[in-house]
Amino acid sequence: MSAPSSSNRDHRPPLRATTDYVEDVAPGSGTLPPRAWYASSDAASLSLNGSWRFRLSPTADAEDDSFAEPGFDAGHWARISVPGHWVLQGHGAPAYTNHLYPFPVDPPRVPTENPTGDHLRLFDLPTDWPSGGGAVLRFDGVESCARVWLNGTDLGEFKGSRLPHEFAVGHLLRPEGNVLAVRVHQWSAGSYLEDQDQWWLPGIFRDVTLLHRPAGCALDFFVHASYDHTAGEGTLKVDSDVAGRVTVPALGIDVPTGASVTVPVEPWTAETPRLYDGVLATEGEHVPLRIGFRTVVVEDGLIEVNGRAILFKGVNRHEWHPEQGRALDRETMREDVLLMKRHNINAVRTSHYPPHPAFLDLCDELGLWVIDECDLETHGFVEQSWRDNPVDDERWTPALLDRAARMVERDKNHPSVVVWSLGNEAGTGRGLTAMAEWIHGRDSSRLVHYEGDRDCRDTDMYSRMYAVHEEVDRIGRGLDGGPLKRRRLPFVLCEYGHAMGNGPGGLADYQRLFETHDRVQGGFVWEWIDHGVKDERHGFAYGGDFGEELHDGNFVCDGLLFPDRTPSPGLVEYKKVIEPVRFEARPPAPAEYGAGPGTVRIRNAHDFLDLTALAFEWSYQVDGETVASGGLPVPRAAPGESVEVKLPEPPDTRDGETQWTVRALLASDTAWAPKGHPVAWAQFPVSARPPLRVARGAAPARGDGRITLGPGSFDARTGALLSIGAVEVTGPPRLDVWRAPTDNDDGATWQSDVRYGLLWRTLGLQRMRHRLDSVEAGEDALTVRTRVAPAGRELGLATVYRWTSDGERLRLTVSVGPQGEWTVPLPRLGIRFGLSGAADRVRWFGGGPGEAYPDTRSASQLGRWESTVDGLQTRYVRPQENGARADVRWAEIGGLRIEGDPEFWLSARRWTNEHLDAARHLTDLTPGDTVWVNLDHAQHGIGSQSCGPGPLPQYFLWAAPAEFSFVFSETAERP
């Protein structure tokens, strides 16, 4: 910054900063009316992003306003990047709460301890900056309250963190030495409206731009582009504050603003995002338009776009980057949309605020349905039964209407936006009704959503979050009751499938309901990405890691993506569950099917696309290995139609387990994925797995304190397995029922307050004792009888290990019988043993390539897979049970081959389940000298009870008599 001016400020009396606006419920002063946002035009613009000078004060009034005047010396101030959050740049620390306000609830008052950041930016106008005309200074996002000066002139102040605000500044600009000063307060009256289950991150976190406004420039305009599906025609009308002309060359349109024109068009949908390039030309400016023709209505109780009912396969998306917070660049936004499209997601709810407008440009271009949500949530008032809730206090209504208007006016020209949402978890009240009435009056071409409006007084759809499967089924059947208006409206789950940690479970069960009941038009998984903060101490930090006195822990890490945007197993599962093509073997009976080639019924589950965009292929596997493959000709099928396709004659195979795999791939390159990208798949069994037999030929032999049985060596006193051939077993196989509880195991919601993880710990399943009752060496078997039970309880599991051998292989049969009254499910049921830490490579024939559990196994493909032990782990931000592979027939690890009878769940890790349970961050997990292998007969389901329903009853693992076997032998390869 420049040196101090010649006037000596040291002799001036200190000025007290004016801060009354901070606690004013009004939205602000001095800003221009909201208008449509567009990325560019032929008018000049200047980005003011970059390095700014920065000073942090502990209170709102700690410093006077002199820093805003030209000549102020800020050379000793720190530098920070704008867009950015100062707490992520070494000034203060972030804080996370789900719904509790991190300050006393006394609206509209905020604490005196109110971190305040003064920002300074010195800039010159470009040499080619036009003379004449005006200029507008635009802020796209500032949290939570800002006061702005340009060249010493106070422009005004504003609230509404995730919304744009503009000031007229043309009369204040200078060719050189312009001083832009912005004072940002972390807390304000506006903070009461922004309690949105996210990190509290103050700062100028979106773009700051200077826009030249030539005479006759475009001000606000509204692109109306409807579609008549019966005639195949679109009607275009552009209303503009400034008269001009609208041209769309591809459609031969050249009309004045305000005039309607109807022409044949290709409609815009999320599956076919056809955009037409146009221009709005006023006397002083040419603005590019990207026009999508589509019509959104509720017809016969269904949400229809272009005459067809749609099914939302959506996600809730907070804006997040592990280093930049909510200051996202366009490349990161594009990565989000591409990942969504590649995982069959077709919709996004912008929870709980409008996103950066460039994100909506990408949704227009690549194709996503958008529920655009207002920057509003007052969730913390639930703690006082919604008393003093701002949305039911008329003093706050102007602020609510301002937020609604800034969202609608900014985003009204995006075809991807099909629904406006009033906000989230703000209770009910007159302010919400006023917002809904204003939005309906301003834009009748879209629907209005708000989950809290249970009577649907103000909204166009019935919306719920985390309704259990049974309730969704009742709603779909029309048995949910409620007001008549609600029963005649479409139903959407605005949040479901809470993707926190390992999970969510039960997605496939929800999808079956969505596809069964027309009225149930899908939902939005919570949520898109874990909000982990990159951190040297923990890898990724979550609530409480920054010393917050009030926080909600890792509840901020509940996404389908890990913080670095690596897809989680939950996203892979969701892709499979919502795939837009369904396959069914015809006939379904494997015995009949195996007699000949059979057919496969293929159903097109798209809303608009036919099957010509896809290429199909088949492959035939024997014991998990593909022995033949080829293309599969599939005729055109319109959305909702099915076709039957004959499969080729299967190869002549003798022994082994056989199956068909059928896949649908992109037939050509698209804007979001290349040709060959997998879209859908299915597998159909042909011949079953041959029985696993081990003849009892060898007899146990005692000697030197050991018992030998075939390749196995046992401790003669305890019956513990010591080695199989040359493979040493460092931890003998024994019953294991414990898993490191998942976030869903530990969760409790309004549907159920039963925390199974807590019950398991209270019962002591993490510290089971193993009592040896007998070691019996018979003629053809070694039998070890034990009782496995927790200290302090009379419950137990009578467990018998029976070893037999044919001389080369060793078979273990485990029999388990519950003792006492078991009133809680088991976490898992199987055996655990240790191998040398040198064991690294794992090969298996079973489900893969990723993890699966009883209610998260849709994406598990039967085949032959290979991984390192470390590669089997899923690196959840908070460590927990992970990495199980389902339906394993056999596995090889550390020189040992393991075959299951029946199939089993496999996991292997370099720490015990108890160590995994004790860890709070990934950096707490230190590999040991042993690889611990779990071979599970059964696992308890996952569910999504961290904020939704627990596992469905069919996925519970109740203690019951069970018997299962494993066959061990050496492999040719050694670790």
Side-chain angles (χ1 to χ4, degrees):
M1 302 297 291
S2 61
S5 65
S6 57
S7 60
N8 190 338
R9 300 188 183 281
D10 293 339
H11 297 291
R12 294 175 55 181
L15 300 175
R16 183 172 178 81
T18 300
T19 61
D20 291 347
Y21 62 89
V22 173
E23 296 181 333
D24 191 342
V25 298
S29 65
T31 57
L32 294 169
R35 65 189 180 104
W37 186 93
Y38 48 93
S40 63
S41 76
D42 62 354
S45 66
L46 176 65
S47 172
L48 298 179
N49 296 345
S51 178
W52 290 50
R53 288 291 185 178
F54 177 77
R55 173 182 66 187
L56 182 63
S57 303
T59 65
D61 60 355
E63 300 287 348
D64 63 30
D65 303 342
S66 61
F67 82 104
E69 298 187 21
F72 182 86
D73 184 6
H76 60 289
W77 286 17
R79 287 192 177 274
I80 64 169
S81 294
V82 171
H85 305 277
W86 69 68
V87 293
L88 296 181
Q89 299 185 62
H91 305 278
Y96 166 64
T97 62
N98 169 28
H99 74 275
L100 293 175
Y101 289 106
F103 47 78
V105 180
D106 182 23
R109 306 298 302 277
V110 295
T112 300
E113 296 86 356
N114 187 356
T116 295
D118 290 334
H119 300 68
L120 278 176
R121 176 76 152 85
L122 183 67
F123 68 93
D124 300 332
L125 295 179
T127 56
D128 59 351
W129 188 263
S131 60
V136 166
L137 177 64
R138 183 176 70 209
F139 294 87
D140 283 317
V142 183
E143 182 177 334
S144 73
C145 174
R147 187 178 177 195
V148 184
W149 295 261
L150 182 63
N151 293 329
T153 297
D154 186 352
L155 301 179
E157 74 283 339
F158 61 85
K159 308 177 189 76
S161 298
R162 267 71 57 179
L163 296 163
H165 295 83
E166 294 182 331
F167 297 94
V169 297
H171 60 296
L172 299 174
L173 288 174
R174 305 169 181 174
E176 296 180 343
N178 292 283
V179 178
L180 176 58
V182 186
R183 173 163 284 168
V184 180
H185 308 282
Q186 175 155 13
W187 310 123
S188 69
S191 301
Y192 284 99
L193 305 180
E194 297 173 2
D195 188 23
Q196 295 152 319
D197 186 13
Q198 60 181 337
W199 293 97
W200 298 89
L201 297 173
I204 306 172
F205 67 94
R206 287 187 185 160
D207 305 291
V208 182
T209 311
L210 183 68
L211 302 169
H212 181 242
R213 299 283 79 206
C217 66
L219 296 178
D220 191 23
F221 59 92
F222 196 160
V223 177
H224 305 275
S226 61
Y227 179 71
D228 182 346
H229 66 278
T230 59
E233 294 177 329
T235 298
L236 176 66
K237 183 179 77 164
V238 178
D239 292 329
S240 175
D241 287 355
V242 176
R245 296 195 70 81
V246 176
T247 56
V248 185
L251 297 176
I253 293 176
D254 185 347
V255 295
T257 55
S260 294
V261 58
T262 299
V263 294
V265 297
E266 298 175 32
W268 187 98
T269 74
E271 294 172 4
T272 58
R274 179 67 164 95
L275 294 173
Y276 291 91
D277 291 326
V279 175
L280 166 62
T282 65
E283 179 184 353
E285 186 177 16
H286 289 66
V287 180
L289 304 177
R290 304 207 77 190
I291 303 165
F293 292 87
R294 55 107 186 94
T295 295
V296 186
V297 297
V298 173
E299 188 75 29
D300 296 328
L302 298 177
I303 300 170
E304 292 187 354
V305 178
N306 303 337
R308 295 190 62 88
I310 62 173
L311 185 63
F312 291 121
K313 303 171 181 178
V315 292
N316 286 273
R317 176 185 176 269
H318 269 293
E319 294 181 304
W320 186 251
H321 186 281
E323 296 174 86
Q324 308 302 324
R326 287 188 285 279
L328 268 61
D329 56 31
R330 187 178 178 89
E331 290 72 25
T332 300
M333 299 180 222
R334 187 176 189 86
E335 184 179 358
D336 277 348
V337 177
L338 292 177
L339 281 168
M340 291 177 188
K341 295 288 290 186
R342 291 169 183 171
H343 287 84
N344 294 329
I345 290 165
N346 72 358
V348 60
R349 174 178 174 233
T350 68
S351 53
H352 297 295
Y353 44 82
H356 192 292
F359 178 77
L360 298 179
D361 284 344
L362 292 164
C363 294
D364 295 342
E365 173 191 338
L366 298 172
L368 288 172
W369 309 118
V370 175
I371 295 182
D372 198 355
E373 192 148 272
C374 195
D375 193 9
L376 172 63
E377 181 170 336
T378 63
H379 199 175
F381 284 90
V382 72
E383 294 295 320
Q384 53 201 59
S385 301
W386 298 105
R387 187 177 62 255
D388 299 326
N389 185 9
V391 304
D392 199 28
D393 183 337
E394 62 184 11
R395 295 175 301 167
W396 294 79
T397 300
L400 302 182
L401 290 172
D402 179 76
R403 289 172 183 246
R406 291 186 182 279
M407 171 184 68
V408 171
E409 302 296 4
R410 191 196 77 167
D411 297 341
K412 59 182 177 281
N413 295 326
H414 288 283
S416 58
V417 176
V418 294
V419 178
W420 301 117
S421 178
L422 303 181
N424 183 70
E425 292 179 314
T428 58
R430 293 164 288 176
L432 290 165
T433 297
M435 293 170 69
E437 290 176 348
W438 184 90
I439 293 174
H440 277 123
R442 176 58 173 152
D443 180 20
S444 61
S445 69
R446 294 177 173 92
L447 309 180
V448 171
H449 164 274
Y450 178 63
E451 180 270 338
D453 185 10
R454 292 296 177 89
D455 292 337
C456 300
R457 180 183 62 179
D458 300 324
T459 54
D460 301 311
M461 63 190 70
Y462 179 30
S463 176
R464 291 286 305 281
M465 55 175 66
Y466 306 109
V468 299
H469 297 77
E470 181 185 7
E471 183 179 4
V472 173
D473 187 48
R474 289 200 309 271
I475 292 171
R477 295 176 186 274
L479 304 177
D480 54 308
L484 179 61
K485 178 185 178 183
R486 189 178 85 183
R487 286 183 276 124
R488 290 177 172 174
L489 291 178
F491 175 74
V492 171
L493 276 171
C494 68
E495 294 179 23
Y496 83 109
H498 198 253
M500 186 175 179
N502 187 334
L507 291 179
D509 306 278
Y510 272 117
Q511 194 66 25
R512 280 190 286 272
L513 294 172
F514 298 164
E515 296 181 9
T516 298
H517 303 300
D518 291 341
R519 183 193 178 193
V520 180
Q521 292 191 257
F524 297 78
V525 168
W526 186 268
E527 65 169 309
W528 177 237
I529 187 169
D530 287 343
H531 304 200
V533 177
K534 190 172 181 179
D535 184 87
E536 291 184 358
R537 303 163 299 164
H538 304 305
F540 292 110
Y542 48 77
D545 287 335
F546 298 98
E548 306 102 300
E549 62 181 8
L550 191 68
H551 65 86
D552 286 288
N554 69 310
F555 202 70
V556 76
C557 293
D558 48 10
L560 294 169
L561 295 181
F562 295 125
D564 62 0
R565 283 182 161 71
T566 300
S568 75
L571 180 57
V572 177
E573 174 80 358
Y574 194 37
K575 176 186 178 180
K576 173 61 179 169
V577 164
I578 61 176
E579 61 189 11
V581 179
R582 302 299 189 189
F583 303 94
E584 180 185 0
R586 307 286 294 177
E592 301 174 33
Y593 187 58
T599 61
V600 58
R601 172 174 287 178
I602 301 174
R603 179 169 64 87
N604 183 0
H606 287 98
D607 292 327
F608 297 93
L609 278 174
D610 62 33
L611 292 184
T612 58
L614 301 175
F616 293 80
E617 63 181 27
W618 62 270
S619 59
Y620 192 80
Q621 288 84 38
V622 178
D623 288 338
E625 291 189 304
T626 297
V627 296
S629 62
L632 188 66
V634 174
R636 178 188 179 278
E641 291 184 349
S642 297
V643 294
E644 290 200 13
V645 178
K646 187 175 182 181
L647 292 168
E649 192 73 27
D652 182 18
T653 57
R654 296 180 180 85
D655 299 324
E657 181 177 3
T658 58
Q659 68 178 13
W660 293 100
T661 299
V662 183
R663 292 183 173 86
L665 317 169
L666 287 181
S668 57
D669 292 345
T670 69
W672 49 270
K675 176 182 178 181
H677 168 78
V679 173
W681 59 271
Q683 293 182 315
F684 308 119
V686 178
S687 60
R689 177 188 178 203
L692 181 61
R693 294 187 175 91
V694 177
R696 298 181 183 181
R702 292 180 178 270
D704 296 327
R706 296 197 175 196
I707 297 175
T708 58
L709 177 62
S713 176
F714 301 82
D715 184 289
R717 183 180 64 84
T718 64
L721 178 68
L722 303 175
S723 63
I724 298 174
V727 179
E728 293 188 4
V729 180
T730 58
R734 61 180 187 174
L735 194 73
D736 189 16
V737 299
W738 180 245
R739 74 182 187 197
T742 67
D743 290 314
N744 290 304
D745 291 335
D746 282 337
T749 66
W750 59 88
Q751 296 104 337
S752 172
D753 60 359
V754 179
R755 298 178 184 268
Y756 288 103
L758 178 61
L759 288 178
W760 294 338
R761 287 190 177 92
T762 301
L763 191 58
L765 300 188
Q766 78 280 26
R767 47 179 175 77
M768 300 289 273
R769 301 288 190 262
H770 297 254
R771 187 188 72 203
L772 177 63
D773 289 339
S774 67
V775 178
E776 305 166 5
E779 292 183 1
D780 60 357
L782 173 64
T783 303
V784 181
R785 303 184 186 276
T786 68
R787 185 176 189 270
V788 183
R793 305 286 176 175
E794 64 177 357
L795 299 171
L797 297 168
T799 307
V800 178
Y801 307 95
R802 184 176 178 84
W803 297 91
T804 59
S805 177
D806 61 1
E808 295 182 356
R809 297 180 296 168
L810 191 63
R811 180 178 187 124
L812 167 63
T813 299
V814 182
S815 301
V816 181
Q819 297 177 333
E821 185 179 358
W822 286 82
T823 60
V824 298
L826 296 172
R828 70 177 346 128
L829 181 66
I831 63 168
R832 176 173 65 174
F833 60 93
L835 295 174
S836 164
D840 184 56
R841 302 301 303 181
V842 185
R843 298 176 61 244
W844 74 97
F845 172 28
E851 75 178 25
Y853 290 83
D855 53 350
T856 67
R857 63 192 300 171
S858 298
S860 182
Q861 298 186 53
L862 183 63
R864 294 199 184 196
W865 309 101
E866 186 170 350
S867 172
T868 62
V869 169
D870 292 340
L872 292 177
Q873 314 310 308
T874 302
R875 298 176 63 81
Y876 294 111
V877 174
R878 186 192 74 80
Q880 56 198 273
E881 167 63 33
N882 73 88
R885 268 55 179 182
D887 303 316
V888 176
R889 278 73 167 151
W890 57 258
E892 294 179 349
I893 178 173
L896 200 61
R897 181 181 174 90
I898 308 151
E899 298 170 89
D901 184 12
E903 294 78 26
F904 60 96
W905 305 80
L906 168 70
S907 57
R909 52 181 64 101
R910 299 187 183 278
W911 37 77
T912 64
N913 297 329
E914 292 75 18
H915 289 148
L916 184 62
D917 184 24
R920 290 296 169 263
H921 296 89
L922 290 169
T923 49
D924 297 334
L925 291 171
T926 303
D929 296 330
T930 301
V931 171
W932 294 98
V933 180
N934 274 92
L935 311 177
D936 292 315
H937 176 61
Q939 282 266 357
H940 185 65
I942 297 296
S944 64
Q945 197 169 296
S946 49
C947 194
L952 287 169
Q954 61 264 37
Y955 304 121
F956 271 60
L957 175 56
W958 294 107
E963 185 172 280
F964 47 94
S965 297
F966 303 101
V967 175
F968 301 89
S969 58
E970 288 188 89
T971 65
E973 298 180 5
R974 291 290 180 267

